[in-house]
Amino acid sequence: MQQLFDAAMFGSTLRIMTPILLAALGGALCSRVGLFNVGLEGLVLIGAFSAIVGNYLFGNVLLAVIFSIVIVMLFSALFAFISINLKANAIVVGISLNFLATGLTTFALRAIFDVKGAYYDKDMVGLPKWDIPLIKDIPWVGDVISGHSPLVYLGIIIVIALQFYLFKSVSGFRLRSVGENPVAAQSIGIKVRGIQYGAVLMCGVLCALAGAQLSLGQVTMFTEGMTAGRGFIALVATMLGQANPLGVMGSSVLFGFMEALSIRLQGFTLPTHFTMMLPYIVTLVAMFFFKDRTYAQDALKAGGSSR
Amino acid sequence: MNRVKESLRGLVQPLLAVFIGLLAGAVAILVVGGSVVDTYAEMWKGAFGNFYFFTNTLARSTPIILAGLGVALAFRAGFFNMGAEGQMVLGGLSAALTALYLPGPGWFVCIAAIVAGIIAGGVWSLFAGWLDARFGMNLLITTLLLNYIAIYFGGYMVSYPFKDRTGSAAMAQTPMIDQSVWLPKLFQGMGLHAGFIIAIVAAILIYWFTHKTVTGYEIRMLGSNPSFATYGGVRRIRMMMLSMIISGGLAGLAGAGEVLGTQYRFLDGSLSSASYAWSGIMATLLARSHPLGTAVAAILLAALQTGAMGMERNTDVPLEVGSVIQAVLTLFVSAQIGYSFLKRRKEKKSNATTV
């Protein structure tokens, strides 16, 4: 037990959690305006790939992240256009977007880098690791909290900012009203479409950051389909946290912890299949206990999901 | 007359979507510096060029048709069954284990294995339906999660208890199924097996079921207008369970067909890595959940995939052009669904963005 739950594991929990958290916050924004975004997986994948491309083109991590944000915003604008203006079913658009992301990234990997499967360049510099002064010297806490990429800390800051924005600001109230009842929101002069577009584009920014953390955070590389279902886990985190930033944070921590635990358990004699299955089983169990009866139902009705 | 018009209009959109998809593919080909005409010619040859390639395409379409039909039925009832992959894996695993360990004459074991596959897929899908109906757990998410659980479970079963220890020990797979249990090939020396006929029959049966029977009508009604259906006395939960079990059963059948007709064993990852289930979902989206249309769309997608493989053998263009075309196709079709909504909205002149 002692060697199982050491500081390194909680550190990796934070690290693993970040992409899920960022994407899930984007999903939360979307579902707050009544668009259930199943395309998170695809958006994160595009984010991860374009971050690597940006890094390759500019040789600068900051520019790479900005490049990734621009690219993913384009794709989320596509999602917004088709589901808002053309009134297609948001779930169908999201699924198609995932297909498009898988196809385009593997294609572009061949077209740009002329490699199959994965792109890796040892000269490429990834996201820096920040040591937090003072905190890094505290024995156990320092090992857990310090030494992560800036995006890990940014994710936590965004949670607090978003919580404040959604529930304490007038603009956040307007945004929520769009998801609650678009017709009523429209009738008091709220620009429903504008707010929906804004939320989806912000979701794109967050997914780009999630992708950048995946591809530039630990090892500077891209592999085909490297999101490996994290976007869907983020979707679950959104639902589990009831599109509430703090709740989303809580569920993301849970998933991050379960994944870190399953990686750690592989060192023991357990078959890896069961440890890898664990996060999904825990998610199911968590869904069972934390299901929301009011908000999620409304959002789903609006999104036209399972009835 | 109206019916003819209706089905013609139904054809225009998919054809237009195919055109746009090919256009996107052309752009992708130009980006990598290939010749569009030559590349598409190679693609056509790879999919339909000769009888061998053609049967290859049909063989690849078999699991896609079956998985797609399952998803289509659930869509028709208004449920998003994203779990075809997991249902397929469990179906394939059960079929393989039944085929290996059930005694009896070959034909009997083969049928039993197919039935086992259908049951396994159906039960796994029903479980998700039950979680939704009983506990209100979102079906879209639960089916997705159950995929991963099924895939890892299948992987465990063939890595430990049922692993083939006779041949190359590196592969996580069951032993080879006895030849008498195999699904018969339709042509000597070709990949196409009897599973394709089963798939076509299933497509016709599902069409008959959804369009000609009362239960089928109720399922369609539930999908298109749930409150009207409930008002008209459709028992929602019962219909949901029914459509989920058929949907999962078809996916399970797809897995069983692959195991008994193509691979003759359950090989870890072989059903999920080829992403038959996701292609099936794409086929359903393309055909807007029409059963016969789904079968046609599945053959089209399979042709794109085998064609892309042939193209990669003979040109410098990467095979992924095929997946770009597929994705643009599906995206465009979903936009087309929106187009009809748009027209309706114009008529009403309403402005509220109720999605």
Side-chain angles (χ1 to χ4, degrees):
Chain A
M1 267 320 182
Q2 201 60 39
Q3 49 177 327
L4 193 60
F5 296 105
D6 57 2
M9 195 183 111
F10 288 98
S12 57
T13 298
L14 261 184
R15 200 181 63 233
I16 295 167
M17 169 199 88
T18 301
I20 299 173
L21 173 67
L22 287 166
L25 288 174
L29 271 174
C30 285
S31 63
R32 281 284 173 193
V33 296
L35 292 166
F36 195 59
N37 193 347
V38 189
L40 292 180
E41 172 91 2
L43 291 177
V44 176
L45 189 62
I46 293 172
F49 181 71
S50 50
I52 286 287
V53 174
N55 205 349
Y56 170 78
L57 290 177
F58 308 117
N60 178 316
V61 178
L62 185 66
L63 286 176
V65 173
I66 293 171
F67 179 76
S68 158
I69 288 175
V70 172
I71 298 288
V72 180
M73 273 176 92
L74 282 177
F75 280 93
S76 57
L78 185 71
F79 172 83
F81 178 74
I82 297 178
S83 46
I84 298 171
N85 291 53
L86 300 181
K87 295 205 151 200
N89 184 321
I91 292 183
V92 175
V93 181
I95 297 169
S96 321
L97 197 64
N98 289 337
F99 290 139
L100 189 64
T102 325
L104 266 186
T105 49
T106 31
F107 175 74
L109 192 66
R110 292 285 297 277
I112 298 174
F113 299 116
D114 202 24
V115 289
K116 220 177 164 118
Y119 175 73
Y120 173 74
D121 183 355
K122 63 174 174 18
D123 298 328
M124 223 179 234
V125 183
L127 288 167
K129 292 187 172 48
W130 280 0
D131 285 323
I132 312 289
L134 292 177
I135 289 180
K136 79 170 177 352
D137 298 325
I138 307 173
W140 191 83
V141 178
D143 289 336
V144 175
I145 293 177
S146 184
H148 293 292
S149 85
L151 289 180
V152 172
Y153 306 112
L154 185 64
I156 295 165
I157 293 168
I158 292 176
V159 169
I160 298 161
L162 209 58
Q163 180 80 13
F164 185 81
Y165 169 75
L166 279 177
F167 297 101
K168 296 281 181 235
S169 75
V170 178
S171 152
F173 167 76
R174 291 206 177 111
L175 188 144
R176 285 191 293 137
S177 75
V178 168
E180 296 280 345
N181 191 336
V183 181
Q186 177 100 19
S187 71
I188 57 167
I190 292 173
K191 291 194 171 51
V192 171
R193 283 189 178 194
I195 288 182
Q196 283 181 325
Y197 261 96
V200 175
L201 288 179
M202 265 314 287
C203 172
V205 174
L206 290 165
C207 286
L209 293 178
Q213 166 70 15
L214 267 184
S215 62
L216 295 179
Q218 285 302 301
V219 278
T220 314
M221 69 181 297
F222 177 84
T223 42
E224 276 175 25
M226 75 184 297
T227 42
R230 281 188 188 82
F232 292 124
I233 291 284
L235 203 62
V236 182
T238 302
M239 293 199 50
L240 216 55
Q242 296 163 21
N244 209 330
L246 289 179
V248 168
M249 168 102 180
S251 39
S252 305
V253 169
L254 176 72
F255 296 143
F257 179 74
M258 288 316 299
E259 204 178 320
L261 183 69
S262 88
I263 293 170
R264 189 49 70 90
L265 281 174
Q266 284 172 19
F268 293 74
T269 46
L270 269 153
T272 50
H273 299 93
F274 286 110
T275 56
M276 281 156 88
M277 213 192 271
L278 214 56
Y280 304 101
I281 294 177
V282 169
T283 310
L284 269 181
V285 175
M287 273 179 82
F288 176 79
F289 283 109
F290 296 99
K291 58 181 179 278
D292 186 17
R293 285 152 202 89
T294 53
Y295 164 70
Q297 295 281 321
D298 288 358
L300 285 173
K301 248 180 259 159
S305 167
S306 78
R307 286 174 276 248
Chain B
M1 216 32 221
N2 253 346
R3 279 188 64 133
V4 177
K5 231 174 150 184
E6 196 91 314
S7 23
L8 275 181
R9 197 178 301 154
L11 264 181
V12 170
Q13 290 185 345
L15 286 180
L16 213 62
V18 169
F19 177 71
I20 301 265
L22 291 179
L23 209 66
V27 172
I29 293 166
L30 287 176
V31 166
V32 292
S35 149
V36 177
V37 178
D38 291 351
T39 311
Y40 276 144
E42 286 298 335
M43 219 179 210
W44 176 265
K45 272 189 232 159
F48 302 113
N50 60 36
F51 191 66
Y52 177 75
F53 287 144
F54 177 61
T55 54
N56 236 355
T57 298
L58 293 185
R60 192 180 175 87
S61 76
T62 306
I64 302 177
I65 294 174
L66 287 169
L69 281 176
V71 180
L73 188 80
F75 271 8
R76 270 286 155 102
F79 308 114
F80 284 92
N81 176 12
M82 295 285 114
E85 192 160 278
Q87 292 146 18
M88 216 175 140
V89 166
L90 287 189
L93 179 70
S94 318
L97 294 183
T98 311
L100 282 171
Y101 297 105
L102 188 77
W107 60 269
F108 171 75
V109 177
C110 180
I111 292 172
I114 289 174
V115 171
I118 295 174
I119 292 174
V123 167
W124 196 239
S125 163
L126 187 67
F127 178 55
W130 178 73
L131 286 178
D132 190 324
R134 179 76 180 77
F135 303 109
M137 287 162 69
N138 184 282
L139 195 66
L140 182 86
I141 306 282
T142 48
T143 47
L144 271 173
L145 291 171
L146 289 174
N147 273 346
Y148 295 102
I149 296 175
I151 291 167
Y152 286 126
F153 178 73
Y156 167 76
M157 292 298 267
V158 295
S159 303
Y160 295 95
F162 297 103
K163 190 176 159 92
D164 176 20
R165 295 183 199 280
T166 52
S168 52
M171 300 284 265
Q173 59 186 21
T174 63
M176 179 81 88
I177 295 166
D178 189 77
Q179 197 161 357
S180 62
V181 185
W182 296 2
L183 278 172
K185 295 279 181 206
L186 294 184
F187 304 101
Q188 194 65 42
M190 309 273 173
L192 193 61
H193 56 85
F196 181 71
I197 294 177
I198 299 179
I200 296 299
V201 171
I204 296 167
L205 275 180
I206 294 291
Y207 174 77
W208 173 80
F209 173 69
T210 48
H211 286 76
K212 308 284 175 198
T213 66
V214 176
T215 317
Y217 173 74
E218 288 182 346
I219 283 178
R220 279 192 296 144
M221 200 39 65
L222 192 62
S224 57
N225 194 338
S227 35
F228 174 72
T230 321
Y231 180 74
V234 174
R235 274 181 288 180
R236 210 190 66 104
I237 304 274
R238 226 184 85 171
M239 284 301 142
M240 178 184 183
M241 295 301 199
L242 181 70
S243 49
M244 281 308 278
I245 199 167
I246 301 177
S247 171
L250 284 164
L253 175 60
E258 274 309 281
V259 163
L260 296 169
T262 310
Q263 292 159 353
Y264 310 124
R265 53 161 42 117
F266 181 85
L267 173 64
D268 185 27
S270 65
L271 292 175
S272 43
S273 65
S275 66
Y276 293 125
W278 289 102
S279 300
I281 293 175
M282 265 203 248
T284 307
L285 293 179
L286 283 179
R288 302 222 213 133
S289 309
H290 190 288
L292 301 178
T294 301
V296 175
I299 294 174
L300 176 82
L301 291 181
L304 263 173
Q305 291 163 8
T306 50
M309 287 175 205
M311 175 204 76
E312 197 179 51
R313 280 195 297 271
N314 297 322
T315 64
D316 293 332
V317 181
L319 137 117
E320 284 77 19
V321 167
S323 20
V324 173
I325 298 175
Q326 285 179 52
V328 172
L329 246 160
T330 9
L331 197 66
F332 185 73
V333 166
S334 72
Q336 280 295 306
I337 295 172
Y339 183 68
S340 58
F341 272 97
L342 196 73
K343 273 197 294 195
R344 201 184 304 159
R345 194 175 60 88
K346 265 187 191 155
E347 285 159 16
K348 283 186 186 164
K349 284 202 166 63
S350 74
N351 196 28
T353 319
T354 39
V355 180

